[in-house]
Amino acid sequence: EVQLVESGGGVVRPGGSLRLSCAASGFTFDGYGMNWVRQAPGKGLEWVADITWNGGNTDYADSVKGRFTVSRDNAKNSLFLQMNSLRVEDTAFYYCARDGLSDGSGPYYFDSWGQGTLVTVSS
Amino acid sequence: ERVMTQSPATLSVSPGERATLSCRASQSVSSNLAWYQQKPGQAPRLLIYGASIRATNIPARFSGSGSGTEFTLTISSLQSEDFAVYYCQQYNIWPRTFGQGTKLEIK
């Protein structure tokens, strides 16, 4: 069974930093591209960042480009999101999500999701 | 960027009846369209991909149709567990974008 478990959320001041982690199990982690998707409380879904299976390519939503960095450690089956220069509007649940296919091209839908971790940016 | 627009924002339907949810893309996304269900306090769950292919373990009462710019999610006979928010998402081009959601509520 595919499992994705996020951690690292919390309360941070505007301008601060936070690092999110996603622990993956139940599948061959290094065979899939991975993503971060966020959802502000009571709002819709927004794709944030993705990374290819080997970490060789990354992409970001314009709203976080230059502030967030996605990375992965395939030896530890883990995905990360380093968030710097946080803004109030970054407050959201952050979900780790797996690409729906593993053939290395894309883009894809998201076939498995973690339960999310809440990031609150507030003074 | 492909803008995805869902309608209606809220749909009130009685259990046992059919629900039809719509999703429109600002430009063609071919058949690269997915639907997700989200219940309160839970992560989204993939229902449909490729516009019409049910994901693993999704009941047959869920069906998707459409291509290009117009898509529909149909739930043939609503069960109590189907009342939730539904999102469409295009994955034809980057960035992948979602619709704003349709809340399906009990009438």
Side-chain angles (χ1 to χ4, degrees):
Chain A
E1 178 193 3
V2 173
Q3 283 205 320
L4 300 169
V5 179
E6 303 92 337
S7 60
V11 180
V12 62
R13 304 279 194 200
S17 298
L18 211 55
R19 189 190 196 213
L20 306 183
S21 299
C22 171
S25 61
F27 67 102
T28 304
F29 183 67
D30 62 7
Y32 288 83
M34 296 295 295
N35 306 266
W36 289 98
V37 178
R38 70 183 179 183
Q39 184 173 37
K43 303 297 184 182
L45 300 166
E46 179 189 20
W47 167 80
V48 171
D50 64 28
I51 186 167
T52 52
W53 65 275
N54 62 354
N57 283 291
T58 59
D59 198 10
Y60 301 91
D62 286 346
S63 57
V64 306
K65 201 169 290 185
R67 300 187 298 121
F68 290 12
T69 302
V70 60
S71 62
R72 64 191 296 162
D73 183 342
N74 286 344
K76 295 182 178 179
N77 291 344
S78 295
L79 176 72
F80 306 101
L81 186 67
Q82 177 67 43
M83 304 185 295
N84 298 331
S85 303
L86 282 160
R87 305 168 180 168
V88 171
E89 55 265 34
D90 295 319
T91 294
F93 287 92
Y94 285 75
Y95 296 99
C96 166
R98 189 182 81 166
D99 272 347
L101 289 172
S102 60
D103 63 7
S105 56
Y108 297 121
Y109 51 92
F110 309 119
D111 74 341
S112 299
W113 299 64
Q115 85 289 349
T117 187
L118 178 61
V119 172
T120 302
V121 185
S122 173
S123 55
Chain B
E1 175 174 312
R2 295 288 188 268
V3 176
M4 307 301 292
T5 303
Q6 293 185 240
S7 61
T10 303
L11 183 61
S12 299
V13 183
S14 300
E17 293 190 340
R18 173 188 297 255
T20 303
L21 289 68
S22 297
C23 175
R24 173 176 292 179
S26 59
Q27 292 179 260
S28 176
V29 299
S30 187
S31 295
N32 296 313
L33 191 286
W35 289 95
Y36 302 87
Q37 177 193 66
Q38 187 177 32
K39 297 179 181 179
Q42 296 185 18
R45 176 175 72 144
L46 176 68
L47 296 176
I48 300 284
Y49 62 95
S52 62
I53 303 169
R54 278 191 304 277
T56 303
N57 296 324
I58 300 303
R61 64 180 181 273
F62 291 90
S63 63
S65 63
S67 66
T69 61
E70 301 284 342
F71 301 89
T72 300
L73 174 69
T74 302
I75 311 171
S76 59
S77 178
L78 280 164
Q79 307 296 304
S80 57
E81 62 266 30
D82 300 334
F83 292 95
V85 179
Y86 292 83
Y87 294 94
C88 64
Q89 177 231 339
Q90 69 82 20
Y91 55 97
N92 192 56
I93 64 164
W94 280 283
R96 286 165 281 187
T97 48
F98 294 89
Q100 80 281 15
T102 290
K103 181 180 180 181
L104 180 57
E105 63 176 28
I106 300 175
K107 187 174 182 180

